[in-house]
């Protein structure tokens, strides 16, 4: 009976069942603006305590003005939290290399105790090494990795950092979106260089329009594996690659997770309270959101269900990003979904039958604006999860911004933008 149920679930996911009719709540969360307009077109944020003062900060990357369309330079920026309603914006690096940036991550790459920044900057992977005082902008060293620069490489889309080979500093995994490639960059003995990094292809043949990557020890063998989406793959849009004994010389085994068509952004977390990490993913092309519980054998295909389907005349939203967190403090993780057309942020809570029935709680919507890649964390230490979101205004770039959406579950901090 279980085998038949899983088979049916796979069919539902691939064929596109009617999904869930969204029933958004009327509540609009309060917001606090965390930037002072350092540039335009913020595209991604990461929440991290960059100055080790115990308060969470926000790192962002901005694409700047399009060529011929203005004078605002693309930039990497840190927004330091002074208080929940007072923020200090520091531009770490302004450079045209970030003009088509797609994502970033924060990690201590050289293991010196200071959090560094890595950006997927379209035509290169850029490693920004932090000084002891991250506010001293002239002391940041910027290294576009030479191994990531090639005339054939047109669109680095995502990055993740972690210790893959056990040597030296942290390594970097990345997704190349054009023809499709998933790689990792091996840290040299001195990571603080542009030339010393070695690019190793995990998959250079089957990841057409590779979009997102995540480093996670999925098989619990003590080694980091790589989870990847590729929007143009029809038989393994979501896959994970098992780290071999020798991650440099040996092949990484590809394990097909899902055929979820058009999969781009994804998140991992326990969605059915079985103490195992599950997967949630979006398909902008199909306007769907899916969730896949972890199977008993993680090397088998992960069958799952639609969590939401926006592809109807009554809705039509396009999912842009996704995260997993317990938004309402009830001990059950929810799925946060960012959409465009119109721009909304909602979280979806499972009901008694989490295969098919999820309730949408819309927490923010904004006309004439586009939302980009979010991050979630408890900014004000009130024991509930807030949201950091980049916003691009469709009318004027003077109000492009990064905002903190304040979770009201435990009161939050009053504010407005």
């Amino acid at each position: 009976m279980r085998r038949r149920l899983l088979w049916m679930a796979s069919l539902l996911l691939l064929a596109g069942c009617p999904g869930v009719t969204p029933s958004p709540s009327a509540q609009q969360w309060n917001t606090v603006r965390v930037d002072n307009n350092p540039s335009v077109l913020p595209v991604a944020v990461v929440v991290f305590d960059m100055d080790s003062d115990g308060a969470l900060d926000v790192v962002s990357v901005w694409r700047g003005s399009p060529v011929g369309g203005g004078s605002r330079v693309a930039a990497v920026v840190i927004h330091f939290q002074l208080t929940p309603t007072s923020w200090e914006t520091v531009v770490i690096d302004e450079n045209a290399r970030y003009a088509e940036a797609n994502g970033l991550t924060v990690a201590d790459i050289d293991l010196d105790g200071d959090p560094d920044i890595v950006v997927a900057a379209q035509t290169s992977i850029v490693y920004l090494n932090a000084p002891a005082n991250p506010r001293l902008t002239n002391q940041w060293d910027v290294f576009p990795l030479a191994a990531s620069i090639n005339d054939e490489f047109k669109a680095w889309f995502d990055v993740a950092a972690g210790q893959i080979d056990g040597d030296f500093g942290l390594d970097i995994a990345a997704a190349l979106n054009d023809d499709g490639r998933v790689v990792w960059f091996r840290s040299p003995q001195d990571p603080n260089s542009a030339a010393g990094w070695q690019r190793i292809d995990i998959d250079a043949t089957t990841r057409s329009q590779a979009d997102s990557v995540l480093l996670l020890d999925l098989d619990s063998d003590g080694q980091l594996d790589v989870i990847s989406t590729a929007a143009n793959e029809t038989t393994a849009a979501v896959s994970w690659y098992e780290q071999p004994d020798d991650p440099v010389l040996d092949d990484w085994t590809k394990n097909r997770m899902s055929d979820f068509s058009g999969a781009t952004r994804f998140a991992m977390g326990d969605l059915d309270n079985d103490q195992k990490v599950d997967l949630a993913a979006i398909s902008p092309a199909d306007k769907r959101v899916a969730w896949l519980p972890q199977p008993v054998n993680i090397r088998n295909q992960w069958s799952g269900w639609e969590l939401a389907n926006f592809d109807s005349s009554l809705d039509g939203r396009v999912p842009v990003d996704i995260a997993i967190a317990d938004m309402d403090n009830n001990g059950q993780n929810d799925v946060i979904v960012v959409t465009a057309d119109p721009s909304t942020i909602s979280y979806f809570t499972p009901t008694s039958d989490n295969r098919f029935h999820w309730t949408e709680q819309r927490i923010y919507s904004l006309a004439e604006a586009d939302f980009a890649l979010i991050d979630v964390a408890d900014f004000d230490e009130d024991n509930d999860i807030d949201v950091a979101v980049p916003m691009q205004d469709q009318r004027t770039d003077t109000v492009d911004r990064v905002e903190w959406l304040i979770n009201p579950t435990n009161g939050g901090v009053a504010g407005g933008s």
Side-chain angles (χ1 to χ4, degrees), residues 1 10 29 88 98 139 160 163 192 199 201 205 208 218 269 283-284 298 305 317 326 333 342 356 376 380 395 406:
M1 182 63 184
S10 179
W29 285 13
E88 175 189 3
Y98 307 114
Q139 293 188 19
Q163 185 57 263
N192 297 323
R199 192 194 82 243
D201 290 339
T205 59
S208 179
L218 201 54
S283 171
I298 60 171
W305 297 270
R317 284 176 287 170
D326 182 3
N333 276 333
F356 306 113
V376 297
D380 49 2
R395 300 159 299 177
I406 305 167

Side-chain angles (χ1 to χ4, degrees), residues 236-282:
V238 187
S239 297
W240 72 278
Y241 295 83
E242 188 172 350
Q243 183 178 159
D245 292 336
D246 187 332
V248 177
L249 299 178
D250 296 343
D251 292 336
W252 291 60
T253 300
K254 179 180 180 180
N255 295 279
R256 170 184 174 188
M257 296 176 77
S258 173
D259 302 335
F260 186 37
S261 176
T264 56
R265 302 287 297 177
F266 68 94
M268 306 293 293
D270 183 4
L271 291 173
D272 52 10
N273 287 332
D274 65 353
Q275 310 305 311
K276 296 191 297 184
V277 65
D278 308 307
L279 181 143
I282 61 172

Side-chain angles (χ1 to χ4, degrees), residues 51 135 150 163 228 248 256 290 342 349 374 391 405:
D51 54 2
R135 287 175 169 82
N150 188 301
Q163 185 57 263
S228 156
V248 177
R256 170 184 174 188
T349 300
I374 66 166
M391 299 183 184
L405 275 57

